[in-house]
Amino acid sequence: METHEKFVISIDLRALDPSAGLDFRIVSYLDRVYFSVTSAQLDAASTFLTEHFNECSTFINVTALESLEDIITLLDRGAQRVFVTHHQLEALVKERRGVDLTRIVLSLDHNICHDNPNARSTEVQQALKAIVGINRVALHVQGDIDWDQFNPIFKHAGLDLEDYPERFVSVSHDTWENYLKAVKQCHIPIISACALTVEPKEHEDLIPAELLITTAVDARHGDAKSDDDLYPTVVVNELGVCLGLVYSNRQSVQESLRTGRGVYWSRKRGLWRKGDTSGDYQELISIGIDCDADALRFSVRQRGDGFCHLKTGTCFGPYTGFSRLQKTLRSRNENAPQGSYTRRLLDDPNLLQAKIMEEAAELCEAGSKDRIASEAGDLFYFAFAKCVAAGVSLEDIEHNLDLKSLRISRRKGNAKPQWAAKFDVVGSADDNQVSVLRNGSADSMPGHKNVEEAPPVLALKDDSSGLQDGRILMKRYDIGATSHGVIQDALKRPSQKSTDEIMKLVKPIVEDVRNGGDEALMQFTQKFDRVTSLSATVINAPFSPELMELPAETIAAIDTSFDNIRLFHAAQKETKPLEVETMPGVVCSRFSRPIEKVGLYIPGGSAVLPSTALMLGVPAMVAGCRTIVMASPPRSDGSLSREIVYIAHKVGAKSIVLAGGAQAVAAMAYGTENVTKVDKILGPGNQFVTAAKMIVSNDTNASVSIDMPAGPSEVLVIADKSADPAFVASDLLSQAEHGPDSQVVLIAVGLAERELLAIEDELDAQANALPRKDTVRRAIAHSLTLQVPHIRDALTLSNGYAPEHLILQVENAEEVVNLVEDAGSVFIGPWTPESVGDYSAGVNHSLPTYGYAKQYSGVSLSSFTKHITSSKLTKQGLRNVSSAVMQLAKVEELEAHRRAVEIRMSRMT
């Protein structure tokens, strides 16, 4: 087996410098970085690749991504390798036939080691053969591994592990014992940076980082060496030029990692910090291992005169080629006298540009081999003079070339129009000239901004998300047999696009509506909602009866829900002001008043959501808000859901804005010619709606507040032996059908295998009978079952997760509610499906998601009111409190505050 990867270090993009373990600077010296990415972290991952491509090889687990284009983007931006699911691998091969399979790692669930190994190995082999033929791809097994079962999987049917020379495994619990097991079985271990240290004396519980290097060499050659044994070491510069040969041992490697310098081992000097006395030291870039694990390679940036004690660049003589040219030009840039040709060349960009164009033309005209070499040399000289003048190094250029070589997406190779015309190139054009017309002319929007829609997500074909052996199933975790870290990772919500990316798309829309008013609002509605006939942005009350014509059964359902919601929210009204006499003669009170103008966002599009109109409109009516404005996207013909119009009429809404998305939020926040400006905006929506709400709420010019941040819908069901499997499955599916980014969690309390299977059977059967089966399946792909022994364990997990909806299908459910600390809404007992809360029970379904139940409440009557406090003092009351007020004002040096009391005291008789 030959591979350059001997180990990989996992990091958390959110904490590159963790409180424990290695910071990123030291991790980069070890050159191999691994992290998992979600849709919400795409910007962070792209930024990481841009900023650190020069520093380390990056391995990214993309199994949580649903868009093939997102995976390709990461490969294009420099990811060395991506870890993909079987389904993603198939899509990559089908859609991008030129994909380099050496950059792909097939990630398998750890359950492959616990199911039927022979059957699973055959399944894996057949799937791979169908996708990549005789080619081999690297493998990765997620989670804790049964080492005794792992190897037989691939030996089944005559296969050998050598058929898979690269096998990445996650190190169980990040322990040294498990790391060594992986190394000895020729796997490539993935270990957390938090488990490593370069200060082993201070952190005895962590693994010395240098052992990753030395163990990789030792494992190749048998038993481990002693700490003093030496490793042949090649030292190269940032361009890969060999500077010299030295020795290293465990101590010197540790010191290099700790200090970021070239530190070696001399048989005469011992620990050798090369360059300490001469100043010709090396800055460490990375430490690597050759393909056969025979030697180490230190990549460094040489400072001073050179690596050799003879003051030459290398121990084999001076630099040659481009390295010599770089050194020469850098020296001339620093030392060339004023007025010299070199000084003029480096200081005069026009002269330098003329020389580059001149040499490029001469190279194009050259015909013979010698002439081409000569002219190319001249062009390189002047091109690199420009680089040196701009502070660009050969290392920068080589890294740029390396990055280009990793791109999967390729340009068409056309010449730009001015050059194509000059040289009479047939069939060549600059596609960029027409790309700006994709969404209309540059001045098609107010303010002459061309706001593009988000690029479409390339759906993965033959999507097998959420399927296990052909069944729709959630992953299972037994908390007694699974590490805390694995459980927490599994409970992470499925992610959306990153906030930064969404904000870049939404800010121009908000700004255009703010400045362009109704015209901008209508144009965005026509563009994003594909509305073909729209003559107005608003319909005003009283609403035409024909707009509210509905079947009798629909009206009855709305009316029933209306009454229940009104009854529950009316009970929340404060009957009288709070009044407290804090000391004799000092009375403090607190009273509520309705928010005058509220904007209610009602999502639309593919689904009609009258329930949201009820959940927002009824509390606004009960609170006494004077002006209620609703906003909902119209259908393509410009019409609006009759159910929403009917509810707007019942709650006394002033108007309905015929718009959705960020543009509707902006219109209500700032007001337009026909849209009333509101004081608060409430209601759920997609990422664009949420981003717009955040933008306007942070703009003091808008002077508008919002209800809460929101994310995809979610439910957590706690079920014990008393639960009906059909009820449990139906509750899970009722949230999974909301969208592919929803998450559902089952916490199974003390359930036996047959009881778990009963729930799984129901879930699969019910899911396959649903019209939104594909949506459910994709949601199930990132949903899970947690097995716990006791109800308190279940509540600990639930409170940590803080679900939007919590369903208790357990014995003594009402008593269990006392253990609930964090949840949006709780549904108690077998006869309380979450659906009743969504529609007709009376509680509000606008709830905090994404863990925000730890800080936010769901929408209630208080969401539509504000509280005002008042104080009333008698003369005696002021006497009683005056000394405290005047002393504190004196302490804060606010003299006018103090005198406001003192003057009144002086008037008392």
Side-chain angles (χ1 to χ4, degrees):
M1 183 193 77
E2 294 186 359
T3 174
H4 293 285
E5 272 78 61
K6 309 301 180 187
F7 58 85
V8 181
I9 299 175
S10 67
I11 62 171
D12 185 344
L13 274 183
R14 298 165 299 182
L16 292 182
D17 295 323
S19 57
L22 300 184
D23 60 33
F24 179 72
R25 176 184 66 87
I26 299 175
V27 170
S28 70
Y29 298 152
L30 295 166
D31 191 41
R32 306 154 184 86
V33 172
Y34 168 94
F35 56 81
S36 297
V37 67
T38 62
S39 298
Q41 296 170 315
L42 276 174
D43 270 1
S46 295
T47 300
F48 178 91
L49 289 168
T50 301
E51 294 179 351
H52 302 294
F53 177 76
N54 295 3
E55 300 173 24
C56 57
S57 300
T58 304
F59 301 71
I60 306 181
N61 189 316
V62 299
T63 56
L65 297 183
E66 295 181 355
S67 166
L68 181 62
E69 286 302 315
D70 290 341
I71 299 173
I72 292 169
T73 295
L74 295 176
L75 286 167
D76 282 345
R77 294 187 178 179
Q80 192 72 30
R81 307 183 93 163
V82 291
F83 291 54
V84 300
T85 64
H86 163 270
H87 155 58
Q88 290 170 327
L89 173 61
E90 185 175 14
L92 280 169
V93 172
K94 283 185 177 180
E95 298 294 332
R96 304 283 175 151
R97 296 192 180 277
V99 65
D100 182 359
L101 291 177
T102 64
R103 296 177 65 194
I104 306 299
V105 181
L106 175 60
S107 188
L108 304 171
D109 190 273
H110 76 282
N111 284 330
I112 191 172
C113 301
H114 302 292
D115 297 340
N116 184 328
N118 291 341
R120 291 303 298 274
S121 65
T122 300
E123 178 187 327
V124 170
Q125 290 303 319
Q126 290 175 345
L128 286 176
K129 186 175 181 180
I131 298 171
V132 300
I134 62 173
N135 299 299
R136 294 300 184 199
V137 296
L139 297 178
H140 167 236
V141 178
Q142 306 175 43
D144 299 337
I145 295 169
D146 184 338
W147 298 97
D148 295 330
Q149 290 288 345
F150 185 73
N151 291 352
I153 292 174
F154 300 99
K155 291 182 179 179
H156 176 64
L159 293 170
D160 193 278
L161 281 172
E162 294 298 322
D163 291 326
Y164 295 89
E166 293 177 293
R167 303 179 307 278
F168 294 83
V169 296
S170 301
V171 176
S172 301
H173 308 296
D174 289 318
T175 65
W176 181 239
E177 178 185 4
N178 288 326
Y179 181 90
L180 283 179
K181 284 182 181 179
V183 171
K184 288 178 180 178
Q185 299 209 24
C186 297
H187 306 310
I188 302 170
I190 302 174
I191 189 164
S192 171
C194 295
L196 303 172
T197 183
V198 290
E199 302 286 358
K201 292 182 179 179
E202 296 181 13
H203 303 284
E204 295 181 357
D205 57 324
L206 300 181
I207 301 169
E210 73 276 3
L211 288 180
L212 305 190
I213 298 287
T214 59
T215 302
V217 178
D218 296 342
R220 174 69 174 81
H221 300 285
D223 294 335
K225 299 181 179 182
S226 71
D227 291 349
D228 296 328
D229 283 339
L230 303 180
Y231 304 94
T233 301
V234 180
V235 183
V236 301
N237 70 4
E238 62 270 32
L239 303 177
V241 175
C242 181
L243 303 181
L245 299 175
V246 295
Y247 285 105
S248 300
N249 68 359
R250 178 180 169 183
Q251 184 181 353
S252 68
V253 173
Q254 181 190 100
E255 187 66 10
S256 280
L257 293 173
R258 191 181 67 82
T259 62
R261 293 272 295 272
V263 182
Y264 316 105
W265 191 265
S266 168
R267 285 171 290 189
K268 292 182 180 179
R269 302 181 181 90
L271 196 64
W272 181 22
R273 295 180 176 85
K274 186 166 172 55
D276 267 5
T277 55
S278 66
D280 301 331
Y281 65 93
Q282 299 93 49
E283 294 176 355
L284 183 63
I285 298 175
S286 66
I287 302 176
I289 305 164
D290 79 316
C291 61
D292 287 324
D294 291 320
L296 306 186
R297 186 189 73 168
F298 272 55
S299 295
V300 301
R301 291 186 184 89
Q302 179 65 48
R303 301 305 185 192
D305 293 327
F307 185 81
C308 184
H309 68 285
L310 297 178
K311 298 295 183 180
T312 57
T314 81
C315 289
F316 308 101
Y319 292 121
T320 60
F322 283 120
S323 295
R324 174 177 283 184
L325 175 61
Q326 175 171 261
K327 186 172 184 180
T328 299
L329 284 172
R330 282 178 170 175
S331 175
R332 290 179 181 177
N333 189 39
E334 294 173 0
N335 302 314
Q338 290 297 325
S340 67
Y341 172 64
T342 303
R343 185 78 275 148
R344 286 177 54 224
L345 189 68
L346 294 170
D347 290 348
D348 185 347
N350 292 331
L351 173 61
L352 186 53
Q353 180 178 353
K355 291 301 297 181
I356 291 172
M357 299 298 286
E358 172 190 326
E359 298 300 340
E362 291 180 358
L363 174 60
C364 292
E365 294 168 359
S368 68
K369 179 179 178 180
D370 289 345
R371 177 83 190 281
I372 291 173
S374 174
E375 297 301 340
D378 289 343
L379 178 60
F380 288 153
Y381 176 88
F382 290 108
F384 201 65
K386 181 177 179 68
C387 292
V388 168
V392 176
S393 68
L394 272 173
E395 183 184 9
D396 298 328
I397 297 170
E398 288 197 354
H399 280 302
N400 188 274
L401 291 172
D402 289 341
L403 182 58
K404 285 183 170 69
S405 73
L406 291 175
R407 289 186 63 86
I408 292 178
S409 304
R410 299 292 180 185
R411 296 178 180 177
K412 294 181 179 180
N414 294 330
K416 290 186 176 180
Q418 65 269 34
W419 299 107
K422 183 174 182 178
F423 292 99
D424 197 23
V425 178
V426 179
S428 185
D430 183 6
D431 291 336
N432 290 331
Q433 285 192 333
V434 296
S435 66
V436 296
L437 302 178
R438 184 166 70 87
N439 289 309
S441 62
D443 59 353
S444 63
M445 289 294 167
H448 304 291
K449 296 176 184 175
N450 186 31
V451 182
E452 296 186 0
E453 297 179 58
V457 174
L458 179 58
L460 299 173
K461 296 180 179 180
D462 302 321
D463 188 351
S464 60
S465 300
L467 292 177
Q468 296 180 38
D469 298 324
R471 304 178 73 214
I472 299 177
L473 295 176
M474 303 192 300
K475 292 181 180 179
R476 270 203 231 168
Y477 298 86
D478 185 336
I479 67 165
T482 311
S483 69
H484 176 73
V486 170
I487 295 294
Q488 292 307 306
D489 283 343
L491 282 171
K492 288 178 180 176
R493 267 82 169 179
S495 303
Q496 300 174 296
K497 287 183 179 290
S498 75
T499 301
D500 289 343
E501 183 180 352
I502 292 296
M503 289 297 185
K504 288 176 185 176
L505 293 169
V506 170
K507 282 181 180 178
I509 297 173
V510 171
E511 194 64 27
D512 278 347
V513 173
R514 178 183 178 182
N515 296 326
D518 281 340
E519 180 185 358
L521 180 62
M522 186 173 292
Q523 287 180 344
F524 279 123
T525 301
Q526 291 170 342
K527 176 180 180 179
F528 293 128
D529 294 312
R530 307 290 192 267
V531 178
T532 55
S533 58
L534 191 65
S535 58
T537 56
V538 169
I539 56 173
N540 293 306
F543 306 114
S544 173
E546 54 264 30
L547 296 180
M548 298 182 281
E549 290 179 355
L550 291 168
E553 59 269 25
T554 300
I555 290 177
I558 290 174
D559 289 348
T560 297
S561 300
F562 177 94
D563 290 339
N564 288 348
I565 296 167
R566 178 166 55 98
L567 188 63
F568 180 68
H569 287 79
Q572 299 171 29
K573 268 195 170 183
E574 297 176 13
T575 56
K576 61 179 181 179
L578 171 71
E579 191 171 287
V580 178
E581 187 173 25
T582 57
M583 62 192 312
V586 179
V587 177
C588 299
S589 68
R590 179 177 182 263
F591 51 91
S592 67
R593 293 290 185 267
I595 295 172
E596 184 178 353
K597 301 174 183 177
V598 293
L600 313 181
Y601 184 83
I602 316 300
S606 62
V608 178
L609 296 175
S611 59
T612 300
L614 284 166
M615 294 294 175
L616 298 173
V618 174
M621 177 194 72
V622 172
C625 299
R626 294 180 185 176
T627 302
I628 300 174
V629 177
M630 289 187 178
S632 190
R635 300 186 180 98
S636 60
D637 63 358
S639 66
L640 200 61
S641 159
R642 294 171 183 266
E643 293 86 353
I644 291 176
V645 179
Y646 177 66
I647 293 167
H649 165 70
K650 283 186 71 73
V651 302
K654 174 185 177 182
S655 60
I656 305 175
V657 181
L658 300 175
Q663 59 270 24
V665 172
M668 293 190 290
Y670 298 105
T672 70
E673 296 89 334
N674 290 297
V675 179
T676 302
K677 183 199 173 334
V678 300
D679 302 314
K680 186 172 184 177
I681 298 173
L682 304 93
N686 61 19
Q687 302 167 83
F688 301 95
V689 171
T690 300
K693 287 167 68 176
M694 294 171 67
I695 289 170
V696 299
S697 68
N698 287 321
D699 182 0
T700 54
N701 292 317
S703 186
V704 67
S705 67
I706 63 173
D707 46 359
M708 71 188 91
S713 189
E714 62 200 31
V715 68
L716 188 149
V717 179
I718 300 177
D720 63 12
K721 292 178 181 294
S722 68
D724 185 319
F727 291 3
V728 173
S730 65
D731 285 337
L732 294 168
L733 293 172
S734 69
Q735 290 305 298
E737 74 173 348
H738 270 292
D741 51 0
S742 295
Q743 185 177 51
V744 300
V745 179
L746 168 63
I747 302 184
V749 183
L751 297 192
E753 180 65 19
R754 60 180 178 77
E755 293 162 333
L756 283 167
L757 286 173
I759 294 174
E760 291 175 345
D761 289 344
E762 279 286 346
L763 186 136
D764 179 56
Q766 292 184 33
N768 279 293
L770 293 172
R772 294 171 65 90
K773 177 179 70 174
D774 289 340
T775 298
V776 165
R777 209 168 25 78
R778 294 173 68 191
I780 292 297
H782 37 245
S783 300
L784 63 148
T785 298
L786 300 176
Q787 297 171 253
V788 302
H790 305 295
I791 189 66
R792 288 189 176 274
D793 298 321
L795 268 297
T796 298
L797 287 168
S798 176
N799 289 328
Y801 183 79
E804 177 190 18
H805 305 101
L806 171 61
I807 299 177
L808 300 177
Q809 292 202 36
V810 295
E811 289 183 337
N812 303 316
E814 291 187 28
E815 296 179 11
V816 173
V817 174
N818 295 324
L819 301 176
V820 176
E821 299 289 342
D822 298 298
S825 189
V826 184
F827 300 84
I828 305 166
W831 306 111
T832 317
E834 186 276 331
S835 312
V836 299
D838 272 351
Y839 297 111
S840 305
V843 297
N844 208 290
H845 79 192
S846 293
L847 302 167
T849 64
Y850 227 72
Y852 281 113
K854 284 183 173 292
Q855 301 93 11
Y856 288 88
S857 303
V859 167
S860 64
L861 190 72
S862 64
S863 303
F864 296 88
T865 64
K866 56 188 183 274
H867 285 91
I868 303 170
T869 60
S870 67
S871 307
K872 181 180 179 182
L873 277 67
T874 63
K875 283 186 178 180
Q876 187 57 45
L878 184 58
R879 287 194 187 98
N880 292 338
V881 79
S882 60
S883 59
V885 174
M886 289 191 291
Q887 179 58 31
L888 288 174
K890 181 179 178 181
V891 169
E892 295 184 356
E893 298 182 355
L894 297 175
E895 180 60 17
H897 282 62
R898 192 190 67 81
R899 286 178 59 79
V901 176
E902 183 182 54
I903 289 171
R904 284 173 169 78
M905 294 298 294
S906 68
R907 302 285 177 90
M908 291 185 185
T909 57

